[in-house]
DNA sequence: ATAGGGTCGATGACATGTCATCGAATAGCC
DNA sequence: GGCTATTCGATGACATGTCATCGACCCTAT
């Protein structure tokens, strides 16, 4: 096989998949903004913070967990703090660091957003994928995302 | 089934797939920037323009084909024009519009970029997907991307 | 022919992400 | 203890995308 080019099959599959890579996040992101006034990034920060019992997470760890740069999270957290969704506390373990905390307002926004978001993910994606396809997609996604950068 | 929530299977599949949605374009985009000094957006504009025999497209049609807003393409084309990759001509069919034309420089950049890009798409994606999986992925991607917005 | 509504690309304001860099604090080594 | 390299979050400059809006132009109905 000539690896310098794509076969017709590969080309068409890659095109179709690339279209999905762009369209699906865009649609779900628009739903989120319309229903809840949140960006996909906002939602990810809120929902990840809510996973901790005390709704607090060191910025550095949260960035690592979400695979964001610290810079990105620092900028984004500053904007979310202005909106009252989260706030910052000094990290008692490390005076360089800070803890991001989900505010009660932020938690309320997340709780109201979640059901709409689930509907969106279902109607735009899950409903159109069989159980077998979903299992395959999960395995394939993990396999490829786990490749070294 | 309670459609207000995701089952554990759905949740895990969606998480894994979402990771792929973010990681794969990021990796291929970084390869492109490193190898050829192009963004994914640049590459898409150049390669779509190169599909026409005369390497020209009305801005509006190109935007529609790529599923970009006219505003986005107008901004992006202005930046690419400064770099000499494309230029603009008045549209003889419609004095409101303009044609985007791939310059010789732009075509050369694309020709040198393409082989590296193919290697990137192969090594980051195609090599790790079987023919059956690829066929299923193509069908599934088309099915979902074709849903109404 | 011309009036009115729609479409064209350009533009400015703004949101968001990257990258390089900073000062402060930490951790490792002697 | 005291250097030194590293890591922390913050920040400014910049690239890129969205949205609302603009003037110019097209098209249709009268």
């Amino acid at each position: 096989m000539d690896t310098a080019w794509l076969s017709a099959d590969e080309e068409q599959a890659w095109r179709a998949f690339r279209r999905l890579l762009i369209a699906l996040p865009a649609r779900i992101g628009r739903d989120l903004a319309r229903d809840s006034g949140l960006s996909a990034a906002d939602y990810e920060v809120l929902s990840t913070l809510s996973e901790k019992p005390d709704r607090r997470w060191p910025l550095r760890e949260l960035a690592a967990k979400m695979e964001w740069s610290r810079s990105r999270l620092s900028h984004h957290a500053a904007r979310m703090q202005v909106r009252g969704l989260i706030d910052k506390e000094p990290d008692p373990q490390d005076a360089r660091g800070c803890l991001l905390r989900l505010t009660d307002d932020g938690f309320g926004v997340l709780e109201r957003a979640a059901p709409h978001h689930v509907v969106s993910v279902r109607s735009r994606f899950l409903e159109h994928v069989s159980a077998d396809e979903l299992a395959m997609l999960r395995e394939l996604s993990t396999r490829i995302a786990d490749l070294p950068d």
Side-chain angles (χ1 to χ4, degrees), chain A:
Chain A
M1 178 175 45
D2 185 350
T3 57
W5 308 101
L6 301 185
S7 72
D9 271 3
E10 288 171 330
E11 164 90 24
Q12 288 162 10
W14 173 240
R15 269 182 196 275
F17 186 50
R18 214 177 22 155
R19 227 183 114 213
L20 181 67
L21 288 176
I22 293 169
L24 185 60
R27 290 172 190 175
I28 292 178
R30 274 197 302 276
D31 289 345
L32 203 46
R34 174 177 43 75
D35 297 336
S36 313
L38 296 173
S39 67
D42 295 334
Y43 189 87
E44 193 176 346
V45 170
L46 294 180
S47 64
T48 308
L49 276 178
S50 77
E51 289 174 11
K52 283 277 203 190
D54 62 355
R55 300 180 191 164
R56 259 168 263 253
W57 205 294
L59 187 151
R60 187 190 78 57
E61 283 183 30
L62 185 61
K65 164 109 178 151
M66 299 193 304
E67 303 183 74
W68 284 17
S69 68
R70 296 196 314 272
S71 167
R72 177 181 178 185
L73 182 53
S74 175
H75 277 302
H76 205 94
R79 292 188 293 261
M80 292 180 74
Q81 186 174 21
V82 169
R83 295 156 65 200
L85 298 171
I86 64 174
D87 58 15
K88 294 181 197 177
E89 301 173 350
D91 184 341
Q93 311 299 311
D94 185 338
R96 292 169 303 182
C98 70
L99 303 180
L100 299 186
R101 188 181 68 85
L102 189 53
T103 62
D104 290 344
D105 273 9
F107 188 73
V109 167
L110 175 63
E111 277 198 314
R112 287 187 296 281
H116 295 287
H117 182 58
V118 168
V119 168
S120 171
V121 171
R122 282 198 178 286
S123 67
R124 303 236 181 232
F125 177 59
L126 291 171
E127 273 178 14
H128 312 280
V129 178
S130 74
D132 281 354
E133 287 172 329
L134 196 63
M136 199 223 67
L137 202 52
R138 172 183 170 184
E139 195 278 324
L140 183 154
S141 297
T142 305
R143 187 193 321 152
I144 294 178
D146 280 345
L147 290 173
D149 256 338

